[in-house]
Amino acid sequence: MKSESVPSEWSALLALQRATHATLQVLAAQLVDMDLTASEINALANLADGRGRTVSELGAAVGTRPTTLTSVLDRLERRGHITRGTRPGDRRAVLIELTASGQLTATTIRQTIADLERRALDGLSADAIAGLRAGLEALTEAPS
């Protein structure tokens, strides 16, 4: 007999949450010497390409509101990983850019993420990975 408290069908959202927690635990263990929070790791990973972003752009990339991102950016700025400046031609927009130490840290984070992803997805076909990507994008863009 199945328990009433356990769903009888698979849930993409619950599986995603389990995968997120498992991934964050592995990343935290592998990046422990950096002494960064998951939110800081996420922000730096999204800046790793070296392209500056406004707070709004970075918020969209990391999946959070700019107001929530502010404390993360404060900590990263205090640690010397980012700078905040103005975007040329638009003094109202705050531009987030990596410092040299931030770029080094972000590159290490992206490499760690890429290694974990490669190990996790190694046995999947290209079609399965494309399906995973499509599903994740659909969940990200789901109407509220």
Side-chain angles (χ1 to χ4, degrees):
M1 176 177 232
K2 291 184 181 181
S3 168
E4 293 297 322
S5 63
V6 178
S8 61
E9 295 181 26
W10 179 82
S11 167
L13 291 177
L14 293 177
L16 178 60
Q17 189 164 22
R18 281 190 306 276
T20 299
H21 286 288
T23 301
L24 291 175
Q25 287 175 354
V26 171
L27 289 176
Q30 291 181 349
L31 299 171
V32 68
D33 293 341
M34 292 185 173
D35 194 30
L36 296 167
T37 67
S39 296
E40 292 164 350
I41 289 169
N42 189 5
L44 288 171
N46 277 279
L47 291 167
D49 62 4
R51 187 173 59 84
R53 288 173 179 77
T54 65
V55 176
S56 295
E57 290 168 339
L58 185 58
V62 301
T64 189
R65 288 187 288 263
T67 53
T68 305
L69 190 57
T70 299
S71 63
V72 171
L73 296 176
D74 288 344
R75 292 190 304 270
L76 291 174
E77 187 174 37
R78 279 194 301 273
R79 296 177 118 198
H81 291 313
I82 64 159
T83 60
R84 292 187 237 199
T86 56
R87 175 178 269 179
D90 185 359
R91 295 184 322 183
R92 295 171 297 154
V94 176
L95 188 65
I96 310 301
E97 295 182 294
L98 291 172
T99 62
S101 73
Q103 184 63 61
L104 189 64
T105 302
T107 299
T108 300
I109 290 167
R110 283 299 286 215
Q111 185 60 52
T112 302
I113 290 170
D115 291 346
L116 174 58
E117 186 174 307
R118 193 171 18 265
R119 288 191 316 271
L121 303 180
D122 185 45
L124 296 180
S125 69
D127 286 344
I129 293 170
L132 173 63
R133 183 178 191 156
L136 292 171
E137 287 174 357
L139 288 170
T140 301
E141 297 168 10
S144 43

